[in-house]
Amino acid sequence: MSWRAAGDGDTVGGVPARYVAEPASTEEASAVLTAAATDDLAVVIRGAGSKLDWGLPPRRLDLIVDTSRLAGVVEHAAGDLITVVRAGTRTADLDFGSQQLALDPRPGATIGGTVAANTSGPRRLLYGTARDLLIGITVVRPDGRVARAGGKVVKNVAGYDLGKLFTGSYGTLGLITECVFRLHPVPRARSWVTARVPAEELAGALAAIRGAQVVPSAVEIDRPERGPVAVAVLLEGTAEGVQDRAARLVELLGGTAVTEPPGWFGADPWPAGGVGVKLTVPLSKVAKLPFPLRGSAGTGVLYATATAESVAGMRAAATAAGGYAVVLTAPPEVRDRVDMWGPVPALALMRRVKEQFDPGHRFAPGRFVGGI
Amino acid sequence: MTSLETLAADLRTALGPGRVITDRQELRTYECDGLAHYKVTPGLVVLPRDTVECARTVRACVAENVPFVARGSGTGLSGGALPHADGVLIVTAKMRDILEMAPDDERAVVQPGVINLDVSRAAAAPGYYYAPDPSSQQICSIGGNVAENSGGAHCLKYGFTTNHVLGVQVVTPDGDVIELGGRAPDTPGYDLLGAFVGAEGTLGIATRVTVKLTRLPEAVRTLLAAFGSPAAAGAATSAIIAAGVVPAAIEMMDALAIEAAEAAVRCGYPPGAGAVLIVELDGPAAEVDAQFAEVTALCESNGATALRIAADAAERALIWKGRKSAFAAVGRISPDYIVQDGVIPRTALPEVLSRIAETAGSHGVRVANVFHAGDGNLHPLVLFDGTAEGEADRAETVSGAIIDLCIEYGGSITGEHGVGADKAKYMPRMYSADDLTTMQLLRCAFDPAGLANPGKVFPTPRLCGEVPRVHRATDPAPAADLF
Ligand SMILES: Cc1cc2nc3c(=O)[nH]c(=O)nc-3n(C[C@H](O)[C@H](O)[C@H](O)COP(=O)(O)OP(=O)(O)OC[C@H]3O[C@@H](n4cnc5c(N)ncnc54)[C@H](O)[C@@H]3O)c2cc1C
Ligand SMILES: Cc1cc2nc3c(=O)[nH]c(=O)nc-3n(C[C@H](O)[C@H](O)[C@H](O)COP(=O)(O)OP(=O)(O)OC[C@H]3O[C@@H](n4cnc5c(N)ncnc54)[C@H](O)[C@@H]3O)c2cc1C
């Protein structure tokens, strides 16, 4: 099993680690974490490390558990539309032929990182997010014990849905080693209808799309500082069906049907090293957020570029709309000045969950909401 | 006074008349849920009208260290709402208000006692519906659906309750009121909403539920196909999935289930069929037309002996009537029956069905099969006559053997009816001791004292260590009495 001394690159948010472990199986991972528990080591899990500097730095750090050797597709049962994938597998390496794992992963990300951060993209409108597609999970708890929940069948209500608890837990409850997902067929045809809509007509346009019974896979907007808002609607299905629906949307919105998405579709709006904010609001409030943003107008999940000064105003707007604004990524000098997470409902209960799973507060301490 | 007497007196004063039931005769009407062979008369029944009253009731239970069980419509099929003889049954029958319809947000906010179908009815005018559609949808409650993560025939395409619930207000087992999720997606922090849905009332009581409304499809087309055998119908199902079609529903019934349905509701299924498939497609009209032609062709090429296409809503309803009434209909051909709810990988269907038939045959027990063929969720109905010597035991043996088969094939002991009191004993067959302890870590975070629906889901309760002092942070009027 591979433990090694940490090198120069083995830091998280500027905090250096002392060791790095690269387990190649759930059993090895269990041995690593059992040893880490015995020695009271503080642990951060590293997937591809592509976004490890997002979020807050850990309060303390001894060991990085790197999942890159914990990779590969264990099973693809095409007839059952499911797959079993190890957590360190790069999402870019997944190929299920005429089937797909309908996530929109960030470039370079691993499956474990995608699940642990519950990242999502445009197609969450039709397919949901990792939480909806994950049907089974294997984790190693902070004390080294291996636990499984869910299974390999899509329909299953036996026991608690721990997969949902671990989805979006940012490595604070344990290490995810294997995930089971439901798959979807790759659509035979797809088309993007793109249009430019004056900002004051955006609410009406979004309502019209919702009303049109065209079942879009994504409804994305790109709202600039001033001027019209770009709208792109993704349609997927049979060739006949997509053509028919695209024609109806073109009539409704103006614009054109194209075979490639616009460059901004699904891309982060902030520059490298900038401040990235994720805003979530009820659907009817999307058009009322009065600043530049981009993202999934169809689900109310938007992204914006911010400054240390503008975060509070964005959060106030999101809160007034009944939603949230979370700072995903920010350079250290900004991170120190802003509240990254904002208000978190049910925080006391979340602390109790953390206390049960990680009583020693050794897993990614301080990285999550409320200093969890 | 006993704890329950103290509680009853306290709640009677707090909630007013008609909300606390202590009469033995009346209490007995709550002794079981849809799984009628488990019966326990509750110590006390309380009917809160809103969140504040529900929290007040739970805090009274905490103060007296008395367990409580939530109950919606009592249609559960795993004994989840089975009462405690020394506990309080909290019934949501007086919490039936639809609080808000917000089609612009594609959301509705309802009290937990609201009947599933009433949400869709209320959403129909603006062109929406609530997608999860358990066969019991005319009577089961949204709170019960949340607790069981209920599915329905259409969850093959649309997912389960957990994919359609955006937020719940919960009275925790401490008596606190918290919000999990809400009208906006992706609340920061752990997905405790995801953990709560399907927890069968063991993590607290849902007192308000925010659900997602789905736009009504432009077109719906329904097909009834008869086959010589369940294996042939299974092959057709596989062919449809392999073609990349995701129907809204694919349901199967075998000959015995058809016979029962026919006797009960005269649904007019093709006579002599060894199995029927109901395939429904919905969505944009052009899409549905293209796929419907394909599905029809696949049924034919896989040996369908008869095809019937619903011409209108009435014909569609008739096709579904046979399926939706199947459980009750079986009561016509057998005095007693056990409904199983196991799941297998769909591709194992022909093999598992023939092994079920073998096991049933060797025990001299009849099994009618009704199932969600699209996702491998079996509902074998194991028939018996409880008054005949040994029949109940033999049925129980066959039923247990079916569960073992599901586990052997990598499936689940329950696809939608839940573990409840009935299947807790099977949990260790599906999960390791560490798996189960890990699930109970979550339980201990929510309910350290173990008062919420104890004895359900897990075969052996875990002791949670130190139980935090009861705190009353969200008492409705915490500061009022200071002034
Ligand atoms: C606080 C924060 C918020 C983010 N929010 C979003 C978002 O809303 N939308 C978006 O598109 N992207 C978001 N990201 C980026 C997201 O992490 C990446 O897009 C991608 O998921 C990273 O993949 P990776 O393999 O590089 O993971 P890493 O960057 O290595 O890790 C990402 C996070 O997941 C944890 N992790 C990784 N693997 C495992 C595992 N096997 N078991 C347990 N934990 C693991 C890490 O400890 C870390 O907290 C966020 C990142 C952070 C840190
Ligand atoms: C004929 C028939 C057909 C059925 N078909 C289906 C089907 O197709 N799919 C399916 O999934 N199920 C089906 N069921 C099972 C049952 O209808 C569902 O499980 C339903 O969700 C139960 O709702 P209820 O209101 O009756 O809950 P109850 O039976 O009253 O309670 C069920 C569980 O929920 C808990 N509970 C109830 N309310 C709350 C609350 N507010 N907060 C927390 N916990 C609560 C209870 O403690 C209990 O554990 C069927 C049942 C029958 C009788």
Side-chain angles (χ1 to χ4, degrees), chain A residues 316-348:
Chain A
T319 308
Y324 302 92
V326 168
V327 180
L328 294 177
T329 174
E333 64 279 10
V334 175
R335 208 159 56 200
D336 294 343
R337 287 170 53 204
V338 303
D339 174 5
M340 299 285 276
W341 295 99
V344 179
L347 186 58

Side-chain angles (χ1 to χ4, degrees), chain A residues 346-356 369-372, chain B residues 190:
Chain A
L347 186 58
L349 187 53
M350 290 179 193
R351 289 190 205 285
R352 278 158 65 163
V353 171
K354 170 73 173 179
E355 188 68 37
Q356 288 290 331
V369 296
I372 288 174
Chain B
Y190 295 129

Side-chain angles (χ1 to χ4, degrees), chain A residues 118-197:
Chain A
N118 194 21
T119 64
S120 64
R123 293 184 305 160
R124 66 178 285 160
L125 176 59
L126 188 68
Y127 300 102
T129 68
R131 90 189 274 282
D132 302 293
L133 298 169
L134 184 81
I135 58 170
I137 195 165
T138 306
V139 300
V140 183
R141 280 175 6 198
D143 65 3
R145 299 270 177 167
V146 176
R148 214 165 41 87
K152 295 204 286 188
V153 286
V154 170
K155 210 164 173 188
N156 180 3
V157 295
Y160 293 152
D161 194 345
L162 295 183
K164 295 218 173 27
L165 184 66
F166 272 82
T167 304
S169 66
Y170 292 100
T172 60
L173 297 178
L175 166 70
I176 302 165
T177 59
E178 239 172 63
C179 298
V180 192
F181 294 101
R182 73 177 293 187
L183 300 174
H184 285 86
V186 173
R188 292 177 212 172
R190 52 168 65 118
S191 175
W192 284 262
V193 173
T194 60
R196 296 195 165 275
V197 177

